Amino acid sequence: FQRRNIHDFGNEDWVHFDVTETGHYTFLTNGTENGRDTHIYLYNSGGTLLADDDDSGDDLYSNLSTRLKGISP
């Protein structure tokens, strides 16, 4: 579980993580300020886009759910 702040328009946050267990993973944004329009992109370590979500969450927030295959550390 990680928390990030949604800042001004144009702000980007990048997160790196290792998937050690195969399973269903959810990445979402939320908040109390209406009008925030977020977009989540999920890339593999080679830079290939695996999935993305724009407005599946509440209001204009993102909610990306996907199955990822775990790798040995």
Side-chain angles (χ1 to χ4, degrees):
F1 184 80
Q2 293 185 14
R3 291 184 185 262
R4 303 282 179 186
N5 291 325
I6 299 174
H7 295 282
D8 297 327
F9 176 78
N11 177 68
E12 293 183 5
D13 286 316
W14 290 80
V15 178
H16 174 269
F17 58 94
D18 294 318
V19 178
T20 56
E21 293 185 27
T22 298
H24 190 81
Y25 292 83
T26 300
F27 308 90
L28 59 90
T29 58
N30 60 28
T32 58
E33 293 185 41
N34 292 333
R36 300 283 187 177
D37 188 5
T38 61
H39 198 134
I40 294 175
Y41 300 91
L42 180 64
Y43 296 92
N44 67 12
S45 60
T48 301
L49 180 66
L50 301 177
D52 72 292
D53 183 82
D54 190 8
D55 296 330
S56 292
D58 293 336
D59 296 317
L60 298 175
Y61 290 104
S62 304
N63 187 342
L64 172 64
S65 293
T66 191
R67 185 166 178 78
L68 299 174
K69 183 178 178 184
I71 56 171
S72 299

